[in-house]
Amino acid sequence: MGGMPLNDMPWWRWRSQVRSALHMLSTPAFQRDVWLAGVDGYGDVTDAVYRLVEDTWLDHWSAEKYVGTIFRDSQEAALVDTAVLRVLRIMHQVGPDAPVQAYLDHPDWPEAVRAARDAHVRLATGDGEDPETEPRTLEVLHIMTRSA
């Protein structure tokens, strides 16, 4: 994987971070009831976007690069790429520090949510988990991704 940044984070932690972000980005009720309501413990939309791309560098290259490690197959990778591109396009337009409402009011937000939903469902199902469960708090995600 030439050019990939050196990182000692195991693939399953990367996948967990990506799945968590996609889950939050794909759930309008969560966005309304948690992000808009200002509920603690879940971060905000900007945090979710950063979790989606910061360790994987999916804002610099295709998820296809991670097939066989983070992603099971090219279909998972393609769905993630679509979601990443749609969400990042909106973030660049509204600004990374924009309030949640700015994202939700963006005319392309429903399309980004659908793309995130498609990717979330595919990854959750591939991991044998119910995609309809509520998103986990960041504390639970941290506990799940701690090194053993």
Side-chain angles (χ1 to χ4, degrees):
M1 291 193 199
M4 188 182 320
L6 296 176
N7 189 321
D8 61 355
M9 184 183 283
W11 68 267
W12 54 270
R13 287 177 62 193
W14 284 358
R15 186 175 176 94
S16 296
Q17 296 282 358
V18 168
R19 280 197 48 207
S20 170
L22 288 169
H23 196 171
M24 292 179 186
L25 292 165
S26 73
T27 311
F30 169 85
Q31 294 164 16
R32 180 191 62 242
D33 298 342
V34 175
W35 283 343
L36 276 176
V39 175
D40 288 332
Y42 294 90
D44 60 15
V45 66
T46 302
D47 175 68
V49 173
Y50 286 137
R51 255 182 300 117
L52 184 61
V53 301
E54 75 180 331
D55 291 317
T56 58
W57 286 49
L58 292 174
D59 53 338
H60 293 287
W61 51 58
S62 172
E64 184 70 30
K65 189 171 198 96
Y66 295 109
V67 169
T69 55
I70 300 173
F71 306 113
R72 286 183 164 72
D73 55 35
S74 290
Q75 185 176 10
E76 274 190 1
L79 291 170
V80 169
D81 278 341
T82 300
V84 166
L85 292 173
R86 290 194 173 134
V87 169
L88 285 177
R89 183 178 325 126
I90 294 168
M91 187 181 86
H92 291 281
Q93 290 174 3
V94 301
D97 296 324
V100 173
Q101 193 67 56
Y103 285 88
L104 303 184
D105 288 344
H106 193 282
D108 294 334
W109 189 248
E111 184 181 325
V113 168
R114 273 191 302 282
R117 173 80 181 156
D118 291 345
H120 162 64
V121 168
R122 176 70 186 224
L123 271 65
T125 303
D127 290 346
E129 295 184 16
D130 180 3
E132 302 306 323
T133 61
E134 293 296 317
R136 296 178 175 110
T137 66
L138 297 181
E139 180 180 357
V140 169
L141 179 64
H142 177 71
I143 290 167
M144 290 174 44
T145 59
R146 275 193 291 207
S147 296

